[in-house]
Amino acid sequence: MLDILKVTYTAIIALALSHIPAASAATTPQLGKSPIRDVVKAMTLDEKLALIHGTGMLVSNGNGPVVGSVSGAVPGAAGTTFAIPRLGIPSIVMADGPAGVRIDSLRPGNSRRYYCTAFPTGTILASTWNTEMARLMGKDMGQEAKEYGIDVLLAPAINIQRNPLCGRNYEYYSEDPLVAGNIAAAFILGAQSNGIGVSLKHFAANNQETSRASVNALVPIRALREIYLRGFEIAVKESQPWTVMSAYNKINNTYCSENPWLLTDVLRRDWGFHGIVMTDWFAGRNYPAQLMAGNDLLMPGRKAEVKRIREALAKGTITEVDIDKNVERILELILQCPAFKRYRYSDNPQLSAHAQTARTVAEEGMVLLKNEQQALPLAQGALTVLGNASYDTYIGGTGSGEVAKAYAVSLAKGLANAGYHIDGNLLQAYHHYLSAEKAKQPKRTSILQKISNLPEKTWTVDELQQMAEHSEAALITIGRNAGEGSDRKADDDYLLTDSEKSLIDKTAKAFHAKGKKVVVVLNIDGVVEVASWRDKADAILVAWLPGQEGGNALGALVSGRVTPSGKLAQSFPMRYADVPSASSVAFPGEPAAHPDSVRYDEGVYVGYRYYNTKHIATAYPFGYGLSYTSFSISGLKLSKRTFDGELTATVKVKNVGKYPGKEVVQLYLAAPALSMDKPTEELKGFVKTRLLKPGQAQTVSFTLDARALASFSEKTGRWVADKGTYTIKVGNASDHFAQKATFALAHGMTMKP
Ligand code: BGC
């Protein structure tokens, strides 16, 4: 049915486009050859209306949403634009997403598979705190997109991890906008170095999935500027993404896609964005308002959009001149695209090189939370590997961030690859158990359908004692998955289930009785509760959703071939109730059954800004992560004692332990609170060192500009830095500062937004 609709719609558009003014081919302007304005002038209204919306979307063979295509575009891509051949305008193709290119691996009548690399997800990429890793992953993902015929990659997704229960946190980077913005900028520069574009999404404050298409986020302007927009601002200014995707939700009563303040004043005027804005898929209600607001392209494209815009044109609420602006910008985008350049893509990206990148990023992004008495690394030998997710590892989340990959290395397989002896009987037992349990689950018919966590396979005390007898240590994996379309729950999701707690408890008793260690691996999409059970584990390692090479990355860390160097890009609270947005009014909003509005009353006090300022202890703080080695941070020097527009801080970091490793040096700033209240610390810079051998040192430097000192004043609509004493705190976590120094600002400063 939908197929028929799609064909009919395409036919109608084709027909409409055939009613064009008579003009000889010689005099018809051509995109790329004639000035864009001339091309726009030569377009009929029908052609303009075709160009400002995509070619539509259909649902195919029960495998979830798949896009229809004009002339043979890439199956499984998320959207395409209309081609207007008489003006030399090709169709361009867009595909998700943040953890790898999302296209169909199967094509009718073709026996080969079109696999893509399942890279580590956004959260684990950010946990590397390594912009070089982000650039590399962006470059590889961009190459893969280009070689499969994609013009615009719908990534990265950098909404703030405001609350641990957001279903899409796995795609997102951090609770801090500096981490999110810098990692995103590096990813974008890497991706766009291939000559394809990205879509930085979801602009903005799309921090929950509950009622995502309509919820009204009531966010104070200061919190918007400092937290929810700041990451986008950094990424836009530093990497000029070709496109930005406006978010589904409303901010302060206006849909993001219909919001001229957001899309024109802030994005274009304040930040100097030159690209196009497209809607998220089917976002917003008022299509003419979207165009007027500066939302150029309506995706994936619907008939109703054109109808409403025609009505608005007839009424005069929008004019053809208004639409010309959108059209011009879309043409500028198309001009840069591989499709316009007739790039002959190979359909053969460098998958094995990209798998290597996926592995390296996963190795750098896993975070060691606990390591009592150097439980890790584990010596080679027999390992008891427990927990469903050890064998059926979650490598990515669900929704548009899913990837059709060639393979996935489970954590158990990765440990075996790293040389550990994994009991074959245990492996068999888990395989039987998991296939039987999965068979009981309803068939998954859409990418928006969550994957249910299965109850843990249980073991008797006797069995665990036997295992403890015959192996050197136990490794238990706790798995969590989430994704687009719904948020997580506190019970049995944020909190561990009874069967998981019992598995940890019984295993710890059996193994500790024999003097053997227990390692817990968290294969999770987002933060889970750890405080109530962590005493039972000797070591805890967060593997996140690590991509297709996750198992091999874990093997490298557990064996000590690689020293962990990931740091948390979000706080792990002691209890969910401690989260600043824990009340239901704050997340996911009210009324409870179907929230239509959500209050961001915590303002800028998100994550560590809140825990530090209010002195609320966390289980593991933002910026935290252990290593097998240790580092000293010393010799903090400031380039000046009085700020005059720019200041440089340098510090020496030395590996004083026994393993080669990398450290993340973090600079926080405490600013005077004269005109506004301030968090006690805010991250203003971070550097990941190169691999330092024991005894080796590196000097790292940070530059602070005037904006780094400032907060956004709602009163004046400007960035304001108060005069007074500023304290720089340098360390390796948001609660651990090895060095401090102060500087003065003699006179307050204000800056335009
Ligand atoms: C998601 C976007 C995605 C788009 C296209 C939407 O549902 O929110 O992130 O890019 O679909 O697949």
Side-chain angles (χ1 to χ4, degrees):
M1 176 61 181
L2 277 159
D3 271 281
I4 295 166
L5 278 180
K6 167 73 182 48
V7 170
T8 316
Y9 184 35
T10 308
I12 290 167
I13 292 282
L15 198 69
L17 298 189
S18 67
H19 287 99
I20 47 164
S24 78
T27 58
T28 308
Q30 296 292 301
L31 186 65
K33 297 200 180 109
S34 327
I36 285 191
R37 264 160 211 273
D38 293 355
V39 178
V40 177
K41 238 186 252 160
M43 290 173 85
T44 63
L45 179 62
D46 287 339
E47 286 170 332
K48 290 176 187 171
L49 294 180
L51 201 64
I52 50 90
H53 77 315
T55 59
M57 185 171 197
L58 52 88
V59 176
S60 85
N61 61 23
N63 282 336
V66 173
V67 155
S69 61
V70 277
S71 62
V74 186
T80 44
T81 59
F82 277 99
I84 308 176
R86 77 173 188 99
L87 299 168
I89 303 171
S91 160
I92 62 167
V93 184
M94 298 159 204
D96 288 301
V101 181
R102 185 169 68 89
I103 58 172
D104 283 350
S105 58
L106 298 171
R107 295 189 184 173
N110 186 340
S111 62
R112 79 155 273 199
R113 299 285 178 267
Y114 295 75
Y115 289 125
C116 294
T117 308
F119 287 93
T121 53
T123 302
I124 175 162
L125 174 64
S127 305
T128 66
W129 293 60
N130 187 339
T131 50
E132 184 48 32
M133 283 291 139
R135 195 196 56 77
L136 185 63
M137 197 170 114
K139 182 170 129 307
D140 286 2
M141 214 188 286
Q143 198 259 354
E144 214 157 302
K146 186 172 183 184
E147 291 310 322
Y148 276 136
I150 306 301
D151 297 283
V152 177
L153 180 69
L154 304 174
I158 65 160
N159 296 97
I160 291 294
Q161 294 179 352
R162 173 176 177 247
N163 184 292
L165 302 187
C166 171
R168 289 184 90 172
N169 273 352
Y170 83 90
E171 295 184 61
Y172 302 154
Y173 287 170
S174 175
E175 70 185 25
D176 179 83
L178 187 82
V179 175
N182 285 352
I183 296 288
F187 177 94
I188 294 167
L189 289 172
Q192 292 192 164
S193 70
N194 292 287
I196 59 138
V198 302
S199 199
L200 177 65
K201 65 189 187 182
H202 311 89
F203 191 54
N206 185 170
N207 307 110
Q208 65 185 63
E209 289 301 287
T210 309
S211 306
R212 68 168 173 168
S214 56
V215 76
N216 186 12
L218 297 164
V219 197
I221 296 293
R222 177 176 173 199
L224 271 176
R225 288 282 189 171
E226 291 184 26
I227 308 287
Y228 299 102
L229 300 183
R230 180 70 183 132
F232 288 96
E233 177 181 9
I234 294 170
V236 164
K237 287 181 173 168
E238 288 181 11
S239 65
Q240 276 295 341
W242 290 8
T243 85
V244 163
M245 186 188 292
S246 53
Y248 284 122
N249 49 286
K250 294 177 192 164
I251 294 180
N252 299 334
N253 308 319
T254 309
Y255 280 107
C256 292
S257 61
E258 300 170 9
N259 192 331
W261 172 78
L262 186 68
L263 304 185
T264 299
D265 298 357
V266 172
L267 181 63
R268 293 196 158 94
R269 186 198 63 199
D270 295 349
W271 302 347
F273 175 66
H274 303 309
I276 73 145
V277 177
M278 68 176 81
T279 60
D280 199 344
W281 270 226
F282 306 106
R285 302 284 185 275
N286 184 339
Y287 315 123
Q290 290 179 319
L291 297 179
M292 294 287 277
N295 193 118
D296 307 301
L297 181 60
L298 316 186
M299 291 302 289
R302 282 171 288 181
K303 254 179 171 175
E305 290 158 354
V306 172
K307 186 167 168 270
R308 300 269 173 75
I309 294 162
R310 274 188 204 288
E311 287 162 6
L313 280 165
K315 274 199 234 144
T317 45
I318 186 170
T319 68
E320 199 168 334
V321 177
D322 296 323
I323 296 175
D324 285 353
K325 224 186 285 168
N326 308 111
V327 169
E328 260 179 44
R329 288 199 282 246
I330 296 171
L331 291 179
E332 270 157 19
L333 167 71
I334 293 174
L335 259 179
Q336 305 179 72
C337 286
F340 177 77
K341 296 178 180 160
R342 296 209 171 83
Y343 180 71
R344 292 161 73 106
Y345 54 91
S346 63
D347 271 334
N348 278 311
Q350 293 159 15
L351 293 180
S352 50
H354 300 172
Q356 186 53 47
T357 299
R359 176 174 173 162
T360 312
V361 172
E363 287 171 358
E364 271 214 21
M366 292 186 183
V367 184
L368 184 61
L369 296 183
K370 178 174 179 183
N371 199 18
E372 290 293 298
Q373 292 165 1
Q374 281 136 21
L376 287 175
L378 287 175
Q380 291 288 316
L383 205 55
T384 293
V385 177
L386 300 167
N388 297 343
S390 291
Y391 298 90
D392 193 11
T393 303
Y394 294 125
I395 61 144
T398 55
S400 57
E402 290 181 31
V403 181
K405 66 216 171 281
Y407 66 89
V409 182
S410 70
L411 299 183
K413 180 81 173 87
L415 291 164
N417 291 348
Y420 292 99
H421 177 70
I422 312 291
D423 184 351
N425 292 330
L426 210 51
L427 185 110
Q428 283 301 318
Y430 269 101
H431 279 182
H432 284 137
Y433 171 76
L434 290 168
S435 4
E437 284 299 313
K438 277 188 182 173
K440 296 181 202 158
Q441 299 295 316
K443 191 174 155 20
R444 198 162 172 256
T445 52
S446 148
I447 56 169
L448 296 184
Q449 200 172 321
K450 268 186 88 166
I451 296 174
S452 322
N453 229 24
L454 302 174
E456 278 300 334
K457 175 163 174 50
T458 52
W459 300 96
T460 63
V461 170
D462 258 12
E463 285 168 327
L464 290 166
Q465 281 169 347
Q466 287 289 320
M467 294 176 200
E469 186 70 43
H470 296 109
S471 62
E472 305 304 323
L475 184 143
I476 307 168
T477 304
I478 300 299
R480 283 290 179 281
N481 199 279
E484 194 175 338
S486 56
D487 291 315
R488 298 167 60 202
K489 299 270 173 286
D491 285 345
D492 293 347
D493 191 340
Y494 179 76
L495 298 171
L496 265 52
T497 63
D498 289 345
S499 70
E500 289 165 338
K501 281 195 216 149
S502 149
L503 179 66
I504 294 174
D505 188 47
K506 288 204 262 171
T507 309
K509 280 191 184 127
F511 277 72
H512 288 158
K514 299 236 156 28
K516 298 188 175 167
K517 307 279 189 207
V518 175
V519 177
V520 173
V521 174
L522 296 175
N523 171 210
I524 50 179
D525 57 284
V527 174
V528 295
E529 194 273 336
V530 288
S532 67
W533 55 266
R534 63 178 163 181
D535 288 350
K536 295 174 184 157
D538 300 284
I540 304 174
L541 184 65
V542 187
W544 297 118
L545 302 181
Q548 67 183 41
E549 282 286 329
N552 286 331
L554 182 82
L557 295 181
V558 168
S559 66
R561 195 183 60 69
V562 173
T563 302
S565 66
K567 303 276 179 185
L568 295 178
Q570 55 293 106
S571 315
F572 274 54
M574 291 294 284
R575 310 170 304 154
Y576 178 71
D578 292 342
V579 174
S581 54
S583 81
S584 60
V585 179
F587 185 95
E590 55 188 354
H594 298 287
D596 53 33
S597 68
V598 52
R599 303 195 63 87
Y600 285 47
D601 290 343
E602 74 280 14
V604 299
Y605 295 92
V606 177
Y608 71 91
R609 286 171 167 80
Y610 172 77
Y611 301 117
N612 283 13
T613 310
K614 309 282 175 199
H615 305 291
I616 293 170
T618 55
Y620 298 106
F622 171 82
Y624 168 90
L626 298 174
S627 170
Y628 297 154
T629 191
S630 45
F631 296 92
S632 68
I633 296 177
S634 62
L636 173 62
K637 285 198 193 71
L638 307 189
S639 60
K640 41 193 90 134
R641 287 284 164 193
T642 302
F643 189 83
D644 62 0
E646 201 174 273
L647 181 144
T648 304
T650 51
V651 80
K652 192 172 127 188
V653 50
K654 185 172 179 190
N655 184 345
V656 294
K658 296 202 176 68
Y659 289 82
K662 297 181 180 183
E663 178 61 301
V664 178
V665 190
Q666 304 160 36
L667 184 147
Y668 295 83
L669 189 67
L674 286 187
S675 60
M676 279 171 262
D677 56 292
K678 303 273 167 106
T680 47
E681 285 90 20
E682 292 191 275
L683 184 75
K684 296 296 173 181
F686 62 90
V687 174
K688 187 147 199 181
T689 65
R690 61 173 191 273
L691 186 71
L692 296 174
K693 293 197 186 116
Q696 272 186 340
Q698 183 181 340
T699 299
V700 298
S701 69
F702 305 87
T703 301
L704 298 185
D705 60 10
R707 266 292 294 279
L709 276 54
S711 302
F712 193 82
S713 159
E714 294 188 349
K715 249 188 255 154
T716 61
R718 294 188 156 233
W719 293 94
V720 175
D722 291 329
K723 68 172 183 192
T725 303
Y726 288 73
T727 307
I728 285 182
K729 306 178 184 183
V730 181
N732 62 359
S734 59
D735 70 343
H736 187 259
F737 309 116
Q739 295 273 288
K740 289 184 188 172
T742 58
F743 66 88
L745 179 66
H747 306 285
M749 299 182 296
T750 62
M751 286 144 264
K752 282 205 296 222

